[in-house]
Amino acid sequence: MTAQIKALIVLVIFALGLVAGWMVNGWRGASKVAECKTEQAQGVASRAEAARADESNTAQLESKHAKDTIYNADKLASLKTGIAVDVRSELERAHRLQLSADSRAATYRAQAEADATARRNLADKASALDRQLVEGVGVVAELGGALKQRDAEVAALCDQVNTERRLNGDAGDQACRVEGEQ
């Protein structure tokens, strides 16, 4: 074999080695690219899964928030209704108490007027009794005076009768006893 053929064979083997190396290197590069793409796809997938989980969690939280908001609004509306009923009831009670108080006030005024009339009547009766007492005391005084005058006249007449009887000599038959005599 000639040196040219040998060189050509070596050159072909060398070219084949280069092509094989280039191909193997291409396969390794393709493998690395595939690994990067796989990693990137896995990253995208995990981020997508995290985003989906976050969206699902957010949706659940929003749903719970909406339910809680509706519950709170209903509860507040119920409380407002109950409060309004309580306020209305208390206002009606206050109105009834006011009517009752007005009625009692009218009763109190009527009682006070009746009491005042009764006191005036009592005062008039007491005044009349005082007048009658004064008149009675005056009558008693007059009658007492008349009685004393009569007693004095009777005593004087009795003395006069006794004097007349003594004059006639009949001293033992006295009409009355004179005070101081026994």
Side-chain angles (χ1 to χ4, degrees), residues 146-182:
L147 182 61
K148 285 180 185 177
Q149 184 177 350
R150 183 199 56 98
D151 286 344
E153 289 174 354
V154 167
L157 286 174
C158 191
D159 286 342
Q160 186 60 41
V161 168
N162 287 337
T163 302
E164 291 293 325
R165 285 188 181 169
R166 272 192 304 264
L167 179 63
N168 290 331
D170 199 10
D173 187 19
Q174 296 289 314
C176 54
R177 291 188 190 252
V178 178
E179 289 183 35
E181 289 184 13
Q182 293 196 334

Side-chain angles (χ1 to χ4, degrees), residues 105-169:
T107 301
Y108 298 153
R109 282 190 295 279
Q111 285 175 340
E113 289 174 12
D115 289 347
T117 300
R119 282 193 305 276
R120 278 192 300 274
N121 289 342
L122 285 175
D124 292 344
K125 286 181 183 178
S127 177
L129 287 174
D130 284 345
R131 280 192 307 275
Q132 290 173 358
L133 177 65
V134 168
E135 289 174 11
V137 167
V139 168
V140 167
E142 287 176 10
L143 289 176
L147 182 61
K148 285 180 185 177
Q149 184 177 350
R150 183 199 56 98
D151 286 344
E153 289 174 354
V154 167
L157 286 174
C158 191
D159 286 342
Q160 186 60 41
V161 168
N162 287 337
T163 302
E164 291 293 325
R165 285 188 181 169
R166 272 192 304 264
L167 179 63
N168 290 331

Side-chain angles (χ1 to χ4, degrees), residues 81-107:
T81 302
I83 290 169
V85 167
D86 289 345
V87 167
R88 200 170 27 255
S89 172
E90 288 298 318
L91 289 174
E92 289 171 1
R93 180 175 175 260
H95 180 70
R96 285 191 309 271
L97 287 174
Q98 180 62 46
L99 292 176
S100 178
D102 291 344
S103 173
R104 283 193 312 273
T107 301

Side-chain angles (χ1 to χ4, degrees), residues 32-53:
K32 284 189 180 185
V33 168
E35 284 176 20
C36 285
K37 285 184 179 181
T38 301
E39 286 177 13
Q40 187 178 18
Q42 286 175 345
V44 168
S46 66
R47 284 192 302 276
E49 179 63 26
R52 189 201 57 77

